[in-house]
Amino acid sequence: MRKLYTFIFLFTGFCSLLQAQQQLDLQEIWSGTFTTKSMDKLNSLNNGKQYAVLNSNLGVSTVDKYDYETLDKVETIVSSADLESVEAFSSYTFSKDESKILLATKVTPVYRRSRLGKYFVYNIKSKEVQLVSEEKIQEPLFSPDASKVAYVFKNNIYIKDLTNGETTQVTKDGETNKIINGVTDWVYEEEFSFVRAFEWNSTGSHLAFIRFDETNVPEFSMDMYGKNLYQTQHVFKYPKAGETNSIVSLHVYELMSTKTVNVPLQDAYYIPRIKWTNAANKLSAQILNRHQNRLSLVIYNTKDESVKEIYQEKDEAYIDITDNLTFLNDNSFLFTSEKDGFNHIYLFDKNGKFIRQITKGSWEVTAFYGFSPKTARVYYQSTEQGSINRAVYSIGINGKGKKLLTERIGSNSAVFSEDYTYFINTYSSISTPYRYTLRKGKDGKELKEIVNNNALLTKLKPYELSPKEFSTITVNGSELNMWMIKPKGFDPEKKYPLFMYQYSGPGSQQVANRWTGINDYWYQMLAQQGYVVVCIDPRGTGFKGAAFKKVTYQELGKYEVEDQIAAAKELGGRSYIDESRIGIWGWSYGGFMSSNCLLKGNDIFKMAIAVAPVTSWRFYDTIYTERYMRTPQENASGYDENSPINHVEKLKGAFLLVHGSGDDNVHVQNTMRMVEALVQANKQFDWAIYPDKNHSIYGGNTRLQLYTKMTNFIKNNL
């Protein structure tokens, strides 16, 4: 009888243990169970004491005003429930004087960043609503005095006068797949990361815009299957490496005379940024050559129609474009550059004469938050606490008196009040989901917590997730950042299969001390099932200086692949890794990498998964590819020797290729050509095509089905 009681006690204890150690599953991961709470679309108000946030509940959207000091809700500025003609809105934009708000409804995506939508202007004082256009439009923007809205419709620029309701058509030559005015073409949107290509000057007297002539850019087409009896074709201009780009030109429209001036720029192959200075008659433009290794900053004067170059920078490899150019009251300006080997902040006078370097050291400025005339201080984010961390700082414009404004080690970012008196700090780490706090801009003192995700941590407790361990691994003479997740109850005397994740693209970072979300739950699930999961940032990735990042110049897929293969070898030599069971996966650039690793490291990797991979850089766009590789006409060997499509005969392990047929970014052509090469080499492999899905491959149960497929592939082959 005593033995029976003992058995019951042990069995009950075992059941309790099973209950305590819940197992993650894909259905749960992709159902939104572990979603984090956040603050949506926060905007600091002009008074520096309040901020606005977009809130949505039960189909009703509101823009609510909050007090920085108390965090109390002061008022609801506008609610869709009170507007008969306006349904729930998905975004809002204040006019400069905060007298009006643009509300976006019925928004539909075009590409990654571009959107079409119906927009309404809400007058805060009168509570009147005005429709900007009966049509779906792009990128509406208030004039500085909020009396007008400029926007783009069917590749032409229009200006609506909100006082009399009249609309003026600024350009008339816009035509699909030929001429674009005021918004960017596909490749600018994707690679220079902006859509709106027009700007008001400070008085609203002039509107500057970029015109794209893509007449001679080659077209790419995609079959879209939808639910109709016959598929349709999506045809758009896409310049592949070495091919013809849009001819870009800069123009300034004067509202009073309705005259448009073509700004005479020299050697303006790319115009990746335009910005009016604080002088209403002076417009700045950044100009790049095709190789993207020479950057010029020019000033156009509307009074005499002169153009003057005030700054030029050259690099042996390439120069990254940012939004960090900031003009001060006297038109002196702050700018960031990697010219000393690390990304730092520099001060120049209004004529472009160097004054001083504001920040300095073997670390990177990773975000520029602005300058306060009141305190004469510059606010920024950097890697001063280590390349995997981010902290917020302020420093005098004289380069002295630096202050750390965030004390927790991890990932810190900031949204400052208009006068920099306060900031809202977003913090996370590998063990702490997003936490939002109010802090003083002067010293970073925490005043109040706004939002936390403690409930999520409580929800995760029963799963007893394994810690993500940060370390470094030295291969090929370089110390590389690495994280590792080991199975719960890890036994160093046992042998575990190794599954590697990486992205590896130029300037990227996957090994970071931040809360990373969905994919991490998948890695934790794999660890629960007995896999060691690892991620390594190889040479060519970011935030460790220009030399480390730019070593891959003209050789994408060479040094990064060598590092991943060498790291796999080193890890395979560790006592707890089964060197005969090493796999790797990645998406996009990571898919390019995992394909190369399986082929070039066929004695190391047993399996690989490549999702939406580039299989030859000849198939990818001009701006991205040529930035790192120059053109295929100049660098044929760099393109071909490192493209997986040219190494298919080396395939030995299990290979899964995945692509969306509607991928406008990395075209399914990459996978189709890879498939044909593998077939002709008589190599066996698995593949999946997701109809009409774009580069992100999502919608409905798509992600669940995809990750189920990948999980089964790992279990069957590793």
Side-chain angles (χ1 to χ4, degrees):
M1 185 65 74
R2 185 176 180 183
K3 287 182 180 179
L4 178 60
Y5 282 134
T6 302
F7 171 78
I8 292 172
F9 173 77
L10 289 173
F11 181 77
T12 304
F14 178 66
C15 288
S16 299
L17 185 64
L18 283 179
Q19 263 193 335
Q21 295 179 336
Q22 285 181 238
Q23 298 293 299
L24 289 163
D25 66 71
L26 290 169
Q27 186 76 46
E28 197 171 31
I29 291 171
W30 289 105
S31 68
T33 300
F34 306 120
T35 302
T36 54
K37 291 194 295 183
S38 63
M39 297 183 69
D40 195 18
K41 296 178 175 61
L42 181 148
N43 284 285
S44 180
L45 300 180
N46 292 340
N47 60 23
K49 297 179 180 180
Q50 295 169 325
Y51 62 92
V53 173
L54 175 66
N55 291 313
S56 299
N57 185 38
L58 300 175
V60 175
S61 301
T62 58
V63 177
D64 298 313
K65 184 189 295 185
Y66 294 84
D67 185 85
Y68 272 116
E69 191 169 342
T70 65
L71 298 182
D72 291 337
K73 178 179 169 181
V74 176
E75 64 172 311
T76 292
I77 301 172
V78 60
S79 170
S80 62
D82 299 329
L83 306 176
E84 289 185 11
S85 59
V86 183
E87 58 188 53
F89 41 86
S90 56
S91 69
Y92 70 100
T93 307
F94 280 100
S95 60
K96 186 177 180 181
D97 64 2
E98 296 177 354
S99 64
K100 297 171 183 173
I101 307 177
L102 265 171
L103 304 174
T105 68
K106 298 182 179 179
V107 173
T108 54
V110 182
Y111 296 116
R112 187 193 296 265
R113 297 174 177 85
S114 49
R115 301 288 184 269
L116 284 165
K118 294 287 283 289
Y119 290 86
F120 295 83
V121 173
Y122 177 73
N123 188 308
I124 295 175
K125 185 177 180 180
S126 69
K127 302 190 185 307
E128 293 177 346
V129 175
Q130 196 171 358
L131 179 64
V132 177
S133 171
E134 293 288 346
E135 308 288 345
K136 281 195 169 187
I137 61 174
Q138 286 184 274
E139 301 297 315
L141 182 67
F142 281 118
S143 61
D145 66 356
S147 66
K148 301 174 183 67
V149 172
Y151 62 89
V152 173
F153 172 62
K154 289 188 176 180
N155 291 4
N156 280 314
I157 300 171
Y158 295 78
I159 296 175
K160 177 155 187 171
D161 190 316
L162 298 175
T163 304
N164 58 28
E166 293 181 359
T167 299
T168 301
Q169 186 171 350
V170 176
T171 64
K172 297 181 180 179
D173 59 346
E175 186 177 345
T176 301
N177 288 338
K178 285 190 177 180
I179 304 296
I180 309 172
N181 295 288
V183 292
T184 52
D185 65 1
W186 186 94
V187 71
Y188 264 64
E189 174 181 336
E190 179 66 26
E191 307 303 356
F192 285 140
S193 304
F194 76 111
V195 177
R196 191 182 71 244
F198 67 84
E199 296 289 341
W200 291 99
N201 71 342
S202 60
T203 61
S205 62
H206 292 75
L207 189 77
F209 65 93
I210 303 174
R211 177 182 184 268
F212 295 80
D213 182 348
E214 56 178 4
T215 304
N216 296 320
V217 177
E219 288 182 343
F220 191 83
S221 64
M222 301 186 301
D223 280 337
M224 306 301 290
Y225 299 96
K227 296 180 180 179
N228 298 320
L229 186 60
Y230 293 90
Q231 81 273 26
T232 58
Q233 270 203 329
H234 176 49
V235 180
F236 61 106
K237 298 285 187 165
Y238 185 106
K240 292 181 183 287
E243 298 296 312
T244 302
N245 279 293
S246 291
I247 298 170
V248 291
S249 52
L250 179 60
H251 306 264
V252 175
Y253 173 77
E254 184 182 35
L255 275 71
M256 183 173 290
S257 68
T258 69
K259 175 186 174 183
T260 299
V261 174
N262 185 351
V263 179
L265 299 177
Q266 292 187 346
D267 302 320
Y269 192 83
Y270 293 122
I271 309 174
R273 293 291 186 274
I274 58 172
K275 185 174 188 175
W276 288 94
T277 71
N278 290 316
N281 64 309
K282 292 185 177 181
L283 170 70
S284 76
Q286 294 181 46
I287 296 170
L288 274 178
N289 62 335
R290 183 160 188 165
H291 285 159
Q292 301 174 65
N293 60 4
R294 186 182 73 247
L295 172 70
S296 296
L297 178 64
V298 302
I299 300 293
Y300 170 69
N301 190 323
T302 61
K303 289 183 178 179
D304 59 14
E305 298 185 3
S306 63
V307 176
K308 180 183 178 182
E309 180 184 79
I310 64 170
Y311 176 79
Q312 187 179 108
E313 183 175 335
K314 295 180 180 179
D315 193 282
E316 291 183 2
Y318 56 88
I319 297 170
D320 288 316
I321 295 297
T322 71
D323 292 310
N324 296 336
L325 173 63
T326 301
F327 289 97
L328 309 187
N329 289 336
D330 62 355
N331 263 2
S332 59
F333 60 94
L334 294 162
F335 203 42
T336 55
S337 170
E338 294 180 314
K339 59 187 178 181
D340 81 340
F342 293 86
N343 195 46
H344 283 296
I345 304 169
Y346 294 80
L347 175 65
F348 301 86
D349 73 10
K350 65 180 180 180
N351 296 312
K353 181 182 177 182
F354 172 76
I355 297 177
R356 72 177 62 90
Q357 185 173 345
I358 306 293
T359 61
K360 193 177 297 184
S362 300
W363 44 269
E364 306 257 299
V365 170
T366 47
F368 176 78
Y369 295 124
F371 168 72
S372 168
K374 180 181 176 182
T375 62
R377 297 185 71 79
V378 176
Y379 299 82
Y380 67 94
Q381 178 200 65
S382 78
T383 62
E384 290 173 70
Q385 295 181 334
S387 60
I388 67 171
N389 299 306
R390 302 288 185 272
V392 178
Y393 292 83
S394 73
I395 189 170
I397 199 165
N398 59 3
K400 298 177 181 179
K402 182 165 59 179
K403 291 181 181 177
L404 173 65
L405 302 180
T406 50
E407 77 283 351
R408 292 192 175 197
I409 302 295
S411 178
N412 292 276
S413 61
V415 176
F416 283 88
S417 63
E418 190 67 23
D419 61 1
Y420 294 88
T421 299
Y422 303 101
F423 71 96
I424 291 176
N425 172 217
T426 303
Y427 168 79
S428 77
S429 70
I430 207 58
S431 58
T432 306
Y434 299 106
R435 179 176 182 263
Y436 300 83
T437 56
L438 176 68
R439 295 172 177 269
K440 283 189 174 181
K442 179 181 179 181
D443 53 17
K445 180 183 177 183
E446 182 177 318
L447 300 176
K448 289 186 179 180
E449 183 177 73
I450 307 171
V451 175
N452 66 50
N453 277 282
N454 294 339
L456 175 59
L457 289 176
T458 301
K459 187 181 292 184
L460 288 169
K461 272 185 181 179
Y463 296 92
E464 295 193 23
L465 305 181
S466 300
K468 182 184 275 189
E469 302 171 4
F470 289 107
S471 62
T472 58
I473 184 169
T474 301
V475 297
N476 296 324
S478 296
E479 187 177 69
L480 310 178
N481 292 334
M482 177 173 76
W483 59 249
M484 179 182 290
I485 301 174
K486 297 172 182 173
K488 198 70 180 175
F490 172 77
D491 181 354
E493 300 301 316
K494 286 180 62 178
K495 293 278 189 181
Y496 297 91
L498 174 66
F499 188 56
M500 297 173 65
Y501 162 67
Q502 46 66 57
Y503 177 75
S504 304
S508 65
Q509 183 176 55
Q510 300 302 314
V511 183
N513 190 7
R514 62 183 179 227
W515 191 261
T516 50
I518 296 290
N519 265 355
D520 264 15
Y521 296 118
W522 185 47
Y523 301 140
Q524 288 285 352
M525 187 193 84
L526 293 174
Q528 287 180 340
Q529 295 174 12
Y531 295 90
V532 170
V533 185
V534 161
C535 178
I536 295 162
D537 281 337
R539 285 173 291 174
T541 52
F543 311 108
K544 299 180 78 172
F548 184 86
K549 180 176 71 173
K550 295 177 180 178
V551 70
T552 60
Y553 183 58
Q554 297 195 72
E555 293 281 7
L556 291 186
K558 175 176 169 58
Y559 299 106
E560 315 97 295
V561 170
E562 289 176 359
D563 286 353
Q564 296 292 348
I565 291 173
K569 282 183 182 178
E570 198 275 351
L571 292 167
R574 296 186 181 184
S575 61
Y576 55 87
I577 298 296
D578 183 345
E579 63 180 353
S580 68
R581 298 170 68 194
I582 300 177
I584 189 167
W585 97 285
W587 197 305
S588 193
Y589 197 101
F592 158 75
M593 284 290 298
S594 59
S595 302
N596 261 335
C597 287
L598 182 65
L599 299 171
K600 293 186 176 183
N602 57 15
D603 57 335
I604 302 296
F605 293 99
K606 186 183 179 187
M607 58 78 66
I609 300 172
V611 181
V614 172
T615 61
S616 170
W617 286 111
R618 292 176 181 270
F619 302 150
Y620 202 54
D621 74 58
T622 47
I623 293 178
Y624 183 93
T625 311
E626 293 173 13
R627 180 186 302 153
Y628 309 118
M629 296 285 281
R630 296 207 169 186
T631 65
Q633 293 89 336
E634 297 170 287
N635 182 26
S637 63
Y639 276 75
D640 296 335
E641 290 175 11
N642 301 310
S643 289
I645 199 170
N646 297 318
H647 298 278
V648 291
E649 75 283 351
K650 299 173 184 174
L651 180 63
K652 291 182 181 178
F655 187 34
L656 174 60
L657 262 173
V658 176
H659 223 117
S661 72
D663 191 337
D664 62 273
N665 184 358
V666 180
H667 303 149
V668 72
Q669 171 192 32
N670 285 269
T671 284
M672 292 303 188
R673 292 283 287 269
M674 185 75 173
V675 165
E676 176 61 12
L678 288 163
V679 168
Q680 294 309 318
N682 194 27
K683 297 294 182 178
Q684 297 301 309
F685 61 97
D686 292 274
W687 62 307
I689 300 295
Y690 287 83
D692 297 345
K693 296 299 183 283
N694 65 17
H695 194 55
S696 298
I697 311 180
Y698 70 94
N701 279 327
T702 304
R703 281 290 180 95
L704 175 59
Q705 201 276 350
L706 170 58
Y707 275 76
T708 301
K709 179 180 291 294
M710 294 196 295
T711 302
N712 291 338
F713 190 80
I714 294 165
K715 289 179 179 178
N716 293 336
N717 294 286
L718 197 60

